[in-house]
Amino acid sequence: MRDKRKLNLVVYFFLLPMLFMITIVNPYVVLGQERTIRGQVIDSENAPMSGVTIRIKGTDNATSTDESGRYNIAASAGAVLVFSLLGHETQEIVVGDDTTIDVRLQASSRDMEEVLVTALGVKRESRKLGYAATAVNTDEMTANRTTNMMESLVGKVSGLNITPPAGGAGSSMQIRLRGQAAFAGANNSPLIIVNGLPMDQGARGANGAGQLGQRDRGDNLQNINPDDIESMTVLKGATAAAIYGARAANGAIIITTKSGQSGQGIGVEFTSTYTAQQPLNFMDEIIQTEYGQGTGGARPRTQGEAQSTGQFGFGERLDGAPTINFDGIERPYSANPDRLFDFLRTGAVYTNTIALSGGSEKGSFRTSFSNTNAAGIQPSNDYKKRIFNVGVNHAITDKLQLQLNVNYADEDNFNPPQIGTQGEGAVNFFTRMANSTPLEAFRESAIDPDTGTEFRNSGFSGTIVNPFFQLQKKQFFKDKRNRLLGTATLRYEITDWLFAQGRFNYDRGTAFSEWNVLNGTGSSTPYEGDTGMYRGNYNLRQDATNDINADFLLGGSKEFGKFSIDASVGGNTWRTQFQRMDQTSSLFVVPDLYSIANGTLRTQSYGFSRSRVNSLYGWAEFGYDELLYINFSGRQDWFSVLNPDMNHKFYPAVSGSFIFSELMSTSGWLNYGKLRGSWAKVGSSNGVNPYDGVLTYAINQNQFNGQTLATVAGDFAPNLFLQPFTVTEQEVGLEMRMFNNRLLVDIAAFNKITTDQILEVTLSNASGYDNSKQNKASLKNTGFESLLEVTPIETSNFRWTSSWNNTYLDTEVLDVGNESGSLLLIYFNGTGNEFLGELRYTEGLPMNQLYTRTYLRNDAGDIVVSDEGRLRASTGGPVGNGFFPVGSSIPKFTGGWTNALSYKNLSVGIHFDYKFGGTVLSATQLNMLRQGLSKQSLEGRREGENGLIFPGVYENGSPNTSVVGDLQSFYADYRNLQIGDPFVYKSDYIKLRNVSLSYNLTDVVKKANMLHFVKGLTVTASARNVAILYKDIPGLDPEAIQSSGDFRAGYENSSLPTTRNYNFSLNVKF
Amino acid sequence: MKKYIVLCSVVTLLFGCDKEFVEVNTDPYAVSEIDPALLFAGSQRTHLGNWTAEHTIVQQFVNPYNQGATLGFNFNEDIDGVNTPKWNDSYPGSIRNLTQAQQLVSDDAAYTNLLSMIRIWKAQVFMGLVDAYGDVPYFEAGKAVSDGIFYPKYDAGSVIFDDLYRELKEAIGALNPSGDYVSSDLFYGNNSENPSGSAAVQVEKWRKLGNSLLLRLGMRYTKLDPAKAQSIVSEAFAGGVMTSNDDNAYVKYDGTLFTYDDNSNLRNFSHFNYAAEPFVDQLKSTNDPRGKYILGTFEDPAAVANDPNPDTVLANQFGVPIGVTNTALAAEGGPYRGARVGGLNYSQMNIYSVASPAAPAFWVTYAQTSLLLAEAAHRGWIDGSAQAFYEDGIRADMAVYARYPQTAPIPGATVDVYLAHPGIAFDSANALELINTQYWIVNIRNGTEAFANFRRSGYPVLTPNTYNNNLQGGFARRLAYPDEEASANAENYAAAAAAMGGDNLTSRVFWDVP
């Protein structure tokens, strides 16, 4: 109830300014005397068109053409007639003095004459572009709504690889355009440009480990409401992005939000969406349900045994007999395979958006408010966001145009799940506890009544934590964020061919995070040591970012007969500032009271950084007869984070397009044909942080025995000689439309080479430091993108469009800058409590190469076991430590198949997508095997089996005949020796991703007189993640494995299940 | 065109293009200058190694759980988690800070004594590394920032020891009584338990510490080159080694703000940690007065902190036999003592005294020194009575126990009774075993020393763990290099491993000749 009131307050708070805005925009339509307008509508072949709707904009007056294409309608001068027919370009014509208006409607041909918003907000005709730029269908995005809008683009755009990690209600996305341009450590996601304001995707908590890192805390894209988006363009290549300089080395996604349309009446739009999220359970594929808790084939007999063996499923065959649990209570010795899913709940997301727009001859505005309320599938994980958006266009004079966009987002993220690593987290707990303890035992005995600490339930106390303990004692993690994005643009038309533009972007974000670790987590004592103080800790963090981008642009275009020139010069300064305040408190006086004041050990820290990039750039485009276009561009960046002696970089680019269909007859099968090509060089200091070149010291916050102590700050060795790295990209493309635009083929091939990367390198820590950054290493992303779109059926009532996009990506590490040819990114066992594999960059192999030790094999390929029949691990190998490459985490093929069907007012969308060729290491399965919890661990104790004779040979080559009776030790060897063979899977999948059904009820509503003020009504139902048609990894959704960062790519551990979403939405326009 | 040029110039002036960039790239809130003495003090606190490594090789302490994460020397397994802590505490810990501090003070006469202290302490850290791992990075170590060496080469242990000898000699020689007083020195500075108050007193203590380390270094050559050992030992002795517990180099922990982490782990993971049978038997059979402060039997071995009154009666203590798994130990009706509550029916470390998080950390002590002198005297390398040095060493160690929490001073009469015990009383015929068995007990909290001296002297007499045949019936002779180092510094690692006869537990460090 209280929430509702709050909502009302907010609505009023925002509605009032909206009303105010209406009054400042000039009156819209000067209504004159009504007259009858007549005319005829014809198609491109001059044939009359029947059934064309003619509506007076802003009213509900409408008519349609007859069999001879004729119409008549009453309208006054100044009114806008809208001519529309499905499958054709809609035309708007302002009624002037004439009473006859004839119209020719063109079959819609998408981007044939499409105008795209490209770099620096410049609108350009698609035909002139010498590089791949794809406009995103924003309708599909709103029909298949997701909490983070980027998730709805999975499999939709070739070259764009989106991986949504299963990270809870407010989680981030991994977004990669044309592969991964640089090794981990750089920001490899594309630059996001909102109304000219560049921002990083800014995924938080994407790389695992620690209280913060283990929780995916979202990214900056969720600050955008998909309903506010007018257009979205994906600039895939470096060429497209060259003009943005360093930040766009990974391509760019350009988002323009709505700011109303001039000459349009007042409109109100309301959208309401409800999504239910059901966790997908694949665990029955791997969980064993035959044996219960215990070790050595025995069930626990005492409470102590029940506690120390809680994590092991090497007990007796399940028989349902009462057996002691960790809390001393006897419960049936039976399998409980679905505990995790009984613990999880159905997620629910409610989103309501209200928008008000209007426009006059002088300008337009749109303002919206959106409220999202999401309950994640893990209990206590709630995510709320509110987005307020305003866009205003105003012509101050005939020549001076002002545009203003403001987006304000306010997010609350509570208890994002802990995932991706061993440690606290419900998934890790429930997949790691022997199956014979039922969920209610953990719920009823979460807290030890004697000590108030976590009831000891396993020998892995602390490594796995009972989530009910966290819930009942109210462990919390709160993340509150505010973000204001503001852009003001002034454009002045100096002459009809020359303009000047100035722009100021302001991006301010604040984040307040607060979390605790409970007294008694993984411990039976509430006191810290001999201090008599209570355990646990409490943490506060406040971040503030300030980004300013100011730029100017001077541009002109002129035509000389058949020749045209379009040229611009500009400059930009980008200034960032970041502040962070951290406070922690522990050793509490009062138990279970989490506040700074209650703690006797407090730490504080303040972090500050700032950086600046200044740039100058320009481009010139030469065109000939709408047939040939060539574009040259250049940009120079200066970076504050680099050594002043080598802090700048120049990037040239050239691209061209050849519209060969201009040379052919217009009546042939080819409607449009374009050949394009480009070359660009982009640099980036991406990966160098402020002060990376400066050594500093840290003074211990608390004195030690009254003595101040200091250390060198951090384990990072500064490197003064870093330079920006370079990405060179070449691209060729071909675009053809055929058979009356029924068939579209758009293909592109690209080759992207990154050199002198700025790498965070793992040092030998004998150097005194754990890591540093170096310019070294190069890599290559080569790819082939295709889009095939056909419209097999198109009648006046029915239309079916089917499109298939595919990306083939081939990555190769060319050089890692060391003699061994292999660079270690992460040794998982070195991160604590992880037992499997390495992630490396190795020359000649694809990027993100996973390595693991394997079974020891002899020359004949047989697995060699020890004299006792136990496992042995591989030794030597390409990197000397017994680890062998098992595949790259990056899929080779990604794509999707979209079908859009419309029959009258009904639209149906069916989308499939797939990824193939990636590899994943599953630590969950390793842990389940060594703990006797998975089906794999049944080998050796199935019916009739009395121990395991592993299929292998002895050192001398004779077959293994040794029976291993101690299966627990045998399977533990996979962990001890880090043998990975059974845990390597393909991350391949084919999914029926979306099915959506949308019905436009406008006509129905129109018929009811009482509802005549309703201009449009659409209801949509959709389902997401409908079915996995193919996958390789058992027990998990292959998409549930990745964090959105690059550091733990291809490593799966304790990931939250993915969900199937059911989505209902209602859109009303007044 | 002209217009554009003008515009560009205006822009350049406006933005300056890279004007102020140096200032922008300076963190106004960071500490960019430091008193090097504070870096030095910071590195004195770093402890070297971990209870679960060398202690378990020399059978003082054991982890009988053969279930993954905790597996270690009780099963003769080469486990990275056991090998690594000492390396990681040394190189990116103390060596980083000592190297940086050394660079800040070098060539500055105002820091003569600080420089010597840095060099002496660095020598002790490196000596421990060679003792534990064998050949290690030395000449190129710690130089990522100063020299841009990210992947240091390894040096032969013998070469390192030669240089440590030189370093110790030079550093001791450079100590100047009228030079700088390093008040932040954690061992002998203003905030230590024995503040020096003046440079003269402080350098004297450092001279004794330096010579005691030199003595230790010399003794390491016993098997390899007795003549060299004798020469260094007599040189150290002549130079003046520690003469009382007041000279001990140790760090106190007050148990509130800072705790000795390793001990906290011992307590928090008590379920896995037990006293080993040979060690318990040694204390029990000689009725060692230190025993009750070292050992304890807790109500629930899995939750030792819940029991504030453990049974510390020596006769009631039982150590876990070596090389037996927890499953076998816990089995009902088996040959062992079985399970108790959440753990095993055996003794653990006394977490309220020796293993208290508030226990001081003794790095170099008079007790160690005196026992080394006892052996040197017994061998005739120095003048003096081996028995006197032996008994002084024991008395000194008994006295040190008063520094541990929840202890009472051990009365002189009790010590006398102990010294007269047939298993303890000095006997020239059995001197090496007696002396070095004591060294083993004295170093209950310094696994590196206990392990090094065991390999050097062959005492105490322990039975090799034959759990499997991994060590061919012998003892672990060293720790393996960290896996991460093997990956990150692959080439240098491979060369070092080859030079040592393989990176395995049975390779020997240079002074440990069979």
Side-chain angles (χ1 to χ4, degrees), chain B residues 163-223:
Chain B
D163 199 63
L164 295 180
Y165 169 79
R166 189 189 56 76
E167 277 290 297
L168 285 170
K169 291 291 287 179
E170 279 185 24
I172 295 167
L175 286 167
N176 179 0
S178 52
D180 49 314
Y181 172 55
V182 182
S183 66
S184 43
D185 171 14
L186 285 187
F187 302 155
Y188 314 115
N190 284 355
N191 293 299
S192 68
E193 280 189 343
N194 305 303
S196 302
S198 72
V201 177
Q202 190 179 30
V203 300
E204 178 59 15
K205 298 223 176 188
W206 274 91
R207 190 177 58 78
K208 288 178 173 178
L209 170 57
N211 280 316
S212 301
L213 287 171
L214 204 58
L215 169 69
R216 194 185 267 188
L217 181 105
M219 289 302 286
R220 294 280 198 268
Y221 287 98
T222 310
K223 286 196 285 183

Side-chain angles (χ1 to χ4, degrees), chain A residues 3 7 29 62 66 287 291 322 343 390-391 396 402 425 458 628 672 822-823 830 881 883 983 1002 1042 1059 1062:
Chain A
D3 274 352
L7 177 70
V29 188
D66 61 17
I287 272 186
Y291 286 88
F343 174 74
V390 190
I396 297 168
L402 170 73
S458 81
L628 198 64
Y672 177 70
S822 184
L823 187 77
N881 57 0
F883 282 70
F983 320 112
T1002 311
Q1042 290 189 36
T1059 60
Y1062 301 94

Side-chain angles (χ1 to χ4, degrees), chain B residues 87-262:
Chain B
W87 180 285
N88 287 351
D89 284 350
S90 302
Y91 282 112
S94 48
I95 289 171
R96 174 200 306 173
N97 293 306
L98 289 167
T99 309
Q100 187 64 20
Q102 187 170 359
Q103 212 187 344
L104 294 176
V105 302
S106 62
D107 305 326
D108 188 340
Y111 290 122
T112 310
N113 288 332
L114 177 58
L115 177 59
S116 284
M117 293 173 199
I118 291 168
R119 291 170 76 183
I120 291 169
W121 196 240
K122 217 167 114 193
Q124 116 83 23
V125 176
F126 274 112
M127 202 194 305
L129 285 168
V130 173
D131 291 342
Y133 299 99
D135 299 352
V136 293
Y138 174 72
F139 291 105
E140 294 188 348
K143 296 186 172 168
V145 172
S146 56
D147 299 70
I149 300 173
F150 288 173
Y151 304 100
K153 285 196 175 59
Y154 287 58
D155 300 296
S158 57
V159 176
I160 299 172
F161 263 47
D162 285 343
D163 199 63
L164 295 180
Y165 169 79
R166 189 189 56 76
E167 277 290 297
L168 285 170
K169 291 291 287 179
E170 279 185 24
I172 295 167
L175 286 167
N176 179 0
S178 52
D180 49 314
Y181 172 55
V182 182
S183 66
S184 43
D185 171 14
L186 285 187
F187 302 155
Y188 314 115
N190 284 355
N191 293 299
S192 68
E193 280 189 343
N194 305 303
S196 302
S198 72
V201 177
Q202 190 179 30
V203 300
E204 178 59 15
K205 298 223 176 188
W206 274 91
R207 190 177 58 78
K208 288 178 173 178
L209 170 57
N211 280 316
S212 301
L213 287 171
L214 204 58
L215 169 69
R216 194 185 267 188
L217 181 105
M219 289 302 286
R220 294 280 198 268
Y221 287 98
T222 310
K223 286 196 285 183
L224 177 72
D225 185 349
K228 188 168 185 174
Q230 177 174 3
S231 144
I232 299 175
V233 166
S234 51
E235 196 179 341
F237 185 58
V241 297
M242 291 178 172
T243 51
S244 80
N245 275 340
D246 288 349
D247 297 333
N248 287 349
Y250 72 101
V251 175
K252 64 179 177 178
Y253 282 84
D254 61 14
T256 50
L257 285 186
F258 289 94
T259 56
Y260 191 76
D261 288 344
D262 214 24

Side-chain angles (χ1 to χ4, degrees), chain A residues 697 712 714 764-766 768 975, chain B residues 31 69 87-88 96-97 142 184 485:
Chain A
Y697 303 95
V712 170
S764 157
N765 65 9
R975 171 223 176 279
Chain B
V31 183
W87 180 285
N88 287 351
R96 174 200 306 173
N97 293 306
S184 43
E485 166 69 6

